[in-house]
Amino acid sequence: YPDCFVGSDCVTYLVKNNHAATRNDAVVLGQTLLENKVFSHVTKDHSFKDEKLFYRFEEDFDKKSRITPDKEQLESWADLIVAPNSKGDCLLPSIPFGYVEEAKQTAKGVFESLEVSPLDEHNAKLLDNVHPSNWTDPKSDGKYNMIAIGAGAGGLVTAAGSAGVGAKVAIIEKHLLGGDCLNYGCVPSKALLRVAKSISEIRHASEFGVHVGDVSIDFGAIMERMRKLRASISPNDSAKRFEELGVDVFIGEAKFLSKHSISVNGQTLKFSKACIATGAKAAVPNIPGIETIPYLTNESIFNLTELPNSLIVIGAGAIGCELSQCFSCFGSIVTLTARSDKILSREEDAAADIISKALESDGVIVRTGCQYKELSMNEVGEVVLHLEGGETIVAEKLLVAAGRAPNVENLNLESAGVEMTQEKELK
C-alpha cells in the first residue's frame, strides 16, 4: 500500500543513505521519530522495530471530513435516562435548550429500533461505544482495498487485520458493533453461566459435606452484572477504537450496487475486495401459531429484568441448552424440547448424554423426540405448546433457539454476483 512503509525497509534506507551507522542506530533514530509523532505504527500497537511491521506518517492520520447530520443528535445515550425522582424528563446537560426535544425524539426512535433494554447506565455505555447516538459517517475519499460488511467478530477481525498491514479499510454496520459475541452471545451468556455455576455448586455442596441454607436469587442484580460486564468490554469493539485504527466506520445499511461498489447512507463506496460478515439471527421454526406468541430469542432474552416463573425452550442446540441451565438455576421451571431423539444432535451420543444428565441435575426438564403441533396463548396469558398426541406444555415465557438463519436481506447480493442457496446461505 503506497501510503505505508515497512520498518525493516526504513532501517535499510537510513543506513544506506548514511543517516545511521548501523541497523541498531537506525532503530534508535526511527524510535525517536516515532516518539516525536513524525510517524507511527498503523494500528499504534508497536514501537519502531527492524521488522516487517507497517508504519504510516502521522499526517496520513489526519481526521477525516465527516457527513453533516441532517437531524439534531444527543451527545450520549445517557441523555435519555430518566432522572431519579423526576416527572419523566431526561437529563440533557450537553444539548442546547432549543434542540432538546428534536434530539430526544430522534434518539428515542433509534433506541427503540436497537431493541436493547433497559436503558440504564450500563446499556447507555454499551450503546455509546457500539452505536453512538452522535455518530456521523466519514466522507468517502477514494477506493477502498477492503470493505467489511457487518461488524461482528468476522468483520472486526477483517477490518483490523487489513488496517494492520496498511490497507485502506471501511466497515459497515447497521445495528450494533460487536455483533452476536458481544451483545447477544458469548459475553452475556457466559456472564449468566458464571452465576449459574455458583448457584449449582452451592446447591450441590452437601455432596461434599458442606451444608448451606436456602439460596436467595436476585435476578435483577444478576442481569445488571451482565450488563455491566458487557459494557466494560465494549470499548474493544467500539466505533471510536476502529476509527483510531484507521478504519472508516459507517453506521447504516449496506447495499451492493455492483461487484466493486456499495451504497450506505446515500454514499457510494468503491472497493477492490469486500468481506460479507453479516452473521446470522435466530431461525423461527414453522410451527402453527408461533406468529401470535411474543417469544424470546437469544437477542431479546438478555433484556429481561424479571425472572419468568416458567420457560419453554424450543431447540436443544448450544444456545437452548446453556440458557435452559441458566434459568433453571435461577429458579425458573424450564422445559427444554427438541425434535431429535437427543439434545445437541450434532454431537457424539456419549457427550450429549453427559450434558443431558447435567441439565437434569440442575432441574431442567428435558423432552426429546417432540412433534410440535401448535402454539397458543391461554386465558391468563401463558404460552401453550401443543404436541402431537394431545399433550400440552404450559409456561409463562417461550424461548426460540431452533438454529440460525443468515442475515442477507436487502444486501442486493445479485448485483455483486454472489449466489445463494434456497436456504439463503452463501454458496
Side-chain angles (χ1 to χ4, degrees):
Y1 301 105
D3 293 334
C4 300
F5 61 89
V6 175
S8 56
D9 292 345
C10 180
V11 168
T12 298
Y13 173 86
L14 292 173
V15 173
K16 183 176 180 180
N17 289 275
N18 299 317
H19 298 300
T22 65
R23 297 187 74 85
N24 286 339
D25 289 344
V27 171
V28 173
L29 176 58
Q31 181 61 25
T32 301
L33 294 172
L34 183 144
E35 291 171 356
N36 283 277
K37 301 186 183 303
V38 175
F39 60 80
S40 66
H41 181 252
V42 287
T43 56
K44 303 192 177 184
D45 290 327
H46 294 279
S47 58
F48 183 72
K49 299 177 181 179
D50 186 4
E51 298 177 11
K52 290 194 178 297
L53 296 172
F54 287 80
Y55 298 86
R56 180 184 291 150
F57 286 100
E58 282 289 342
E59 63 187 26
D60 294 326
F61 279 99
D62 289 345
K63 204 166 187 179
K64 295 181 68 67
S65 58
R66 310 192 80 83
I67 298 295
T68 302
D70 58 359
K71 296 180 180 179
E72 297 301 329
Q73 297 176 309
L74 298 182
E75 287 300 310
S76 167
W77 288 106
D79 293 337
L80 279 180
I81 298 176
V82 177
N85 303 318
S86 75
K87 297 179 181 180
D89 295 329
C90 296
L91 298 175
L92 298 168
S94 56
I95 303 296
F97 178 79
Y99 303 125
V100 168
E101 195 57 35
E102 181 182 353
K104 186 165 67 173
Q105 292 306 317
T106 299
K108 279 184 176 179
V110 175
F111 173 72
E112 290 172 1
S113 72
L114 296 177
E115 299 180 340
V116 174
S117 67
L119 184 54
D120 60 1
E121 61 177 304
H122 310 304
N123 276 342
K125 179 180 177 181
L126 169 74
L127 292 176
D128 282 344
N129 284 316
V130 301
H131 195 112
S133 60
N134 61 350
W135 188 260
T136 53
D137 290 340
K139 288 184 179 179
S140 175
D141 59 355
K143 190 174 185 179
Y144 292 96
N145 301 114
M146 171 63 74
I147 292 181
I149 306 161
L156 294 176
V157 169
T158 297
S162 299
V165 293
K168 181 178 175 62
V169 184
I171 191 166
I172 304 171
E173 172 57 54
K174 69 177 182 180
H175 197 216
L176 305 178
L177 277 82
D180 268 15
C181 185
L182 173 66
N183 299 294
Y184 326 111
C186 318
V187 172
S189 67
K190 301 313 174 284
L192 297 191
L193 282 168
R194 178 62 184 86
V195 179
K197 179 179 180 180
S198 295
I199 295 170
S200 180
E201 288 179 336
I202 292 171
R203 287 176 174 163
H204 293 282
S206 61
E207 298 173 13
F208 301 92
V210 179
H211 302 284
V212 296
D214 292 337
V215 179
S216 176
I217 308 299
D218 186 342
F219 183 73
I222 291 170
M223 298 304 282
E224 183 179 8
R225 172 182 176 272
M226 177 275 294
R227 296 193 299 272
K228 182 178 180 180
L229 290 171
R230 182 171 62 181
S232 70
I233 294 170
S234 64
N236 295 302
D237 293 347
S238 67
K240 180 181 177 182
R241 178 182 177 233
F242 276 79
E243 183 181 52
E244 290 173 349
L245 294 180
V247 176
D248 283 359
V249 179
F250 296 84
I251 297 181
E253 188 170 32
K255 181 172 288 188
F256 282 101
L257 301 176
S258 70
K259 289 186 177 182
H260 294 287
S261 64
I262 196 166
S263 68
V264 57
N265 296 337
Q267 292 196 77
T268 297
L269 314 183
K270 297 184 181 300
F271 60 85
S272 296
K273 299 287 184 182
C275 173
I276 301 172
T278 48
K281 59 182 177 294
V284 181
N286 184 23
I287 302 174
I290 195 168
E291 70 281 356
T292 67
I293 307 297
Y295 58 82
L296 299 165
T297 69
N298 70 300
E299 293 188 13
S300 57
I301 197 166
F302 299 110
N303 292 339
L304 292 178
T305 56
E306 295 182 3
L307 181 68
N309 292 322
S310 52
L311 181 68
I312 298 170
V313 181
I314 293 179
I319 294 172
C321 286
E322 67 181 12
L323 290 176
S324 292
Q325 188 174 34
C326 279
F327 278 80
S328 183
C329 287
F330 298 158
S332 297
I333 300 171
V334 180
T335 304
L336 175 64
T337 70
R339 281 194 173 105
S340 59
D341 59 1
K342 66 173 185 177
I343 67 169
L344 301 170
S345 59
R346 297 183 179 181
E347 306 301 330
E348 295 286 344
D349 289 350
D353 185 56
I354 290 171
I355 301 298
S356 183
K357 289 178 180 176
L359 296 179
E360 290 174 335
S361 72
D362 280 325
V364 178
I365 303 167
V366 178
R367 297 290 305 273
T368 57
C370 294
Q371 297 182 41
Y372 305 118
K373 180 180 179 182
E374 184 184 7
L375 279 160
S376 64
M377 302 283 288
N378 64 19
E379 63 278 2
V380 295
E382 295 173 316
V383 179
V384 182
L385 174 59
H386 303 263
L387 302 177
E388 295 290 351
E391 184 182 358
T392 60
I393 303 172
V394 181
E396 181 183 346
K397 296 287 186 182
L398 170 67
L399 170 65
V400 173
R404 310 291 287 164
N407 288 320
V408 293
E409 296 87 355
N410 303 319
L411 283 175
N412 197 26
L413 292 172
E414 297 81 4
S415 293
V418 177
E419 296 182 10
M420 293 182 292
T421 66
Q422 289 184 344
E423 291 75 27
K424 298 297 183 182
E425 296 177 351
L426 303 183
K427 284 188 178 180

